[in-house]
């Protein structure tokens, strides 16, 4: 059961997200985001609340029988299975090759493969807050956040960070702020509780497009999103996410609904035509190029009600 402190921290986070979404509805996404970045005091309050919530959550999941609920542990275990113990990347490579054969007569002129399994997985943790993956022995982590809660997290606005192709890949820092990242460098990009922070679908898609540019072929995008509803409640939204990410060049390779969170993994395909073709074949009438979250509809209803009041 949640303590009063837990509830207070959760309300701080929720109200922060709601105010940013409302501001975007009123001012437009770009203007709202610029104003948002200037609110250093609120950003620090949010970072502290997220840090404290994470401690409470992970402490609770260390109890016997609850380990599977840890988003951090889930991510670590899947990465281990994907690259090392189960070689999931080879299984998914073979599937994509079969699809290429059936759809394009195995025209592999655009195929790109991961050359070797890395000794350490180069991980980019976006919206990291407190660098929860820092001590994983087979991770080489770059962690960034708008307002870091700990000193080992780099400050950076992912929406506005440039991506550069470099012979000698490095993180570009100016005044201790990240302003560019190396293209096609990372084997894993993590969006843990990040996309719901973004107030609009367009910004969420922008984040995913950047992840695609940053990943090596056969690299993975891990998305953890809060979801306390039963597995079928948001099924249409999740299918639309799969359709949209497919259009961007990603194949979904894992979906797991846990209590309070949904865990997804998308793989940068060896040939972007494969996920694009999959999306076309599986598109349903309601689907479009968007990444919506349940809170979006609530925000739109509130905005509409205010609009109606303004007319009276």
């Amino acid at each position: 059961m949640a303590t009063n402190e837990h509830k207070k921290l959760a309300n701080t986070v929720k109200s922060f997200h709601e105010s940013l979404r409302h501001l975007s509805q009123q001012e437009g996404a770009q203007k709202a985001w610029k104003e948002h970045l200037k609110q250093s005091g609120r950003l620090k309050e949010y970072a502290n609340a997220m840090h404290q919530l994470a401690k409470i959550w992970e402490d609770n999941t260390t109890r016997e029988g609850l380990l599977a609920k840890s988003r951090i542990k889930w991510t670590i275990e899947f990465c281990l299975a994907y690259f090392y113990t189960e070689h999931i990347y080879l299984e998914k490579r073979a599937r994509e090759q079969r699809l290429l054969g059936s759809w394009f007569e195995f025209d592999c002129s655009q195929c790109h493969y991961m050359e070797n399994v890395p000794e350490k997985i180069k991980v980019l943790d976006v919206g990291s807050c407190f660098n929860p993956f820092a001590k994983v022995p087979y991770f080489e982590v770059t962690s960034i956040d708008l307002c870091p809660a700990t000193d080992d997290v780099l400050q950076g606005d992912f929406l506005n960070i440039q991506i550069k192709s470099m012979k000698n890949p490095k993180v570009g820092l100016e005044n201790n702020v990240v302003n560019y990242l190396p293209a096609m460098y990372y084997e894993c990009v993590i969006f843990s509780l990040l996309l719901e922070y973004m107030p609009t679908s367009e910004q969420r898609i922008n984040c995913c497009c950047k992840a695609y540019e940053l990943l090596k072929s056969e690299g993975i995008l891990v998305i953890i999103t809060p979801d306390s509803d039963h597995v079928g409640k948001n099924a249409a939204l999740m299918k639309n996410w799969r359709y949209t990410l497919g259009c961007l060049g990603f194949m979904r390779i894992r979906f797991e609904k846990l209590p309070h969170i949904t865990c997804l993994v998308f793989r940068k395909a060896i040939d972007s035509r494969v996920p694009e073709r999959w999306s076309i074949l599986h598109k349903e009438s309601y689907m479009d190029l968007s990444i919506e979250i349940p809170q979006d509809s609530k925000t739109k209803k509130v905005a509409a009600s205010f609009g109606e009041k303004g007319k009276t």
Side-chain angles (χ1 to χ4, degrees):
M1 183 179 293
T3 65
N4 288 334
E5 177 64 15
H6 190 172
K7 291 177 181 177
K8 181 181 176 182
L9 292 168
N11 286 333
T12 297
V13 170
K14 288 178 183 177
S15 64
F16 187 92
H17 289 171
E18 287 171 2
S19 64
L20 180 54
R21 284 194 294 271
H22 291 318
L23 186 62
S24 295
Q25 285 279 337
Q26 295 165 1
E27 305 286 347
Q30 288 189 349
K31 186 176 179 181
W33 190 253
K34 287 181 181 179
E35 291 183 22
H36 174 67
L37 297 179
K38 296 176 184 177
Q39 300 174 1
S40 57
R42 290 204 68 199
L43 288 171
K44 288 178 181 178
E45 180 185 7
Y46 177 86
N48 181 64
M50 284 297 291
H51 193 191
Q52 295 303 315
L53 269 176
K55 285 181 179 178
I56 293 170
W57 181 256
E58 293 302 322
D59 285 347
N60 286 340
T61 60
T62 57
R63 288 183 294 168
E64 186 177 356
L66 293 177
L67 283 174
K69 298 178 185 179
S70 165
R71 59 188 172 93
I72 296 170
K73 183 175 184 291
W74 189 95
T75 301
I76 293 169
E77 290 189 344
F78 184 83
C79 287
L80 179 63
Y82 182 81
F83 289 101
Y84 301 124
T85 59
E86 298 178 29
H87 296 113
I88 294 174
Y89 77 95
L90 290 177
E91 171 195 332
K92 301 305 177 184
R93 178 189 293 179
R95 177 173 180 255
E96 289 174 17
Q97 288 174 333
R98 288 195 299 272
L99 291 175
L100 274 170
S102 62
W103 293 339
F104 304 105
E105 298 183 355
F106 202 75
D107 169 19
C108 211
S109 60
Q110 299 178 34
C111 290
H112 298 278
Y113 301 102
M114 181 168 54
E115 293 181 1
N116 298 295
V117 176
E119 289 186 15
K120 286 193 173 186
I121 304 163
K122 289 183 282 297
V123 174
L124 177 66
D125 184 16
V126 185
S128 176
C129 187
F130 63 100
N131 202 4
F133 302 101
K135 295 181 180 179
V136 180
Y138 47 91
F139 278 6
E140 179 184 310
V141 185
T142 301
S143 55
I144 62 173
D145 198 288
L146 268 181
C147 185
T150 56
D151 292 337
D152 57 346
V153 179
L154 300 173
Q155 184 180 356
D157 173 15
F158 189 65
L159 284 175
N160 290 302
I161 286 174
Q162 298 179 48
I163 300 172
K164 293 186 177 183
S165 297
M166 293 175 270
K167 289 184 178 180
N168 300 305
K170 65 176 183 178
V171 175
L173 290 171
E174 185 175 330
N175 298 322
N176 294 319
V177 176
V178 178
N179 59 16
Y180 64 83
L181 291 166
M184 295 186 291
Y185 178 71
Y186 299 96
E187 281 92 22
C188 177
V189 173
I190 299 172
F191 290 170
S192 181
L193 311 182
L194 173 81
L195 293 182
E196 48 283 339
Y197 185 108
M198 300 298 164
T200 68
S201 169
E202 292 76 16
Q203 288 167 316
R204 296 172 202 134
I205 290 176
N206 186 4
C207 288
C208 294
C209 288
K210 288 197 166 194
Y212 186 87
E213 291 184 66
L214 290 160
L215 283 168
K216 293 180 177 180
S217 292
E218 303 192 269
I220 52 175
L221 169 60
V222 178
I223 300 176
I224 310 293
T225 187
D227 187 356
S228 296
D229 294 316
H230 61 81
V231 69
K233 177 72 179 293
N234 297 312
L237 282 179
M238 291 295 99
K239 286 181 179 179
N240 201 80
W241 282 33
R242 187 176 189 178
Y243 165 77
T244 300
L245 272 291
C247 292
L248 301 182
F250 285 107
M251 291 290 285
R252 196 185 76 185
I253 59 171
R254 184 61 57 94
F255 173 95
E256 189 169 349
K257 176 69 178 72
L258 301 178
H260 308 298
I261 56 173
T262 294
C263 306
L264 307 105
V265 183
F266 292 85
R267 160 186 159 96
K268 184 173 180 177
I270 59 173
D271 187 322
S272 63
R273 292 174 300 171
V274 175
E276 289 166 2
R277 176 70 172 166
W278 188 97
S279 291
I280 291 169
L281 292 175
H282 292 83
K283 184 179 181 181
E284 298 183 37
S285 58
Y286 68 87
M287 291 179 176
D288 61 6
L289 197 66
S290 66
I291 299 179
E292 300 282 347
I293 60 175
Q295 295 89 335
D296 289 340
S297 58
K298 297 175 185 177
T299 303
K300 289 173 184 175
K301 288 178 183 178
V302 172
S305 67
F306 276 115
E308 289 299 319
K309 290 178 182 178
K311 294 177 183 178
T312 58

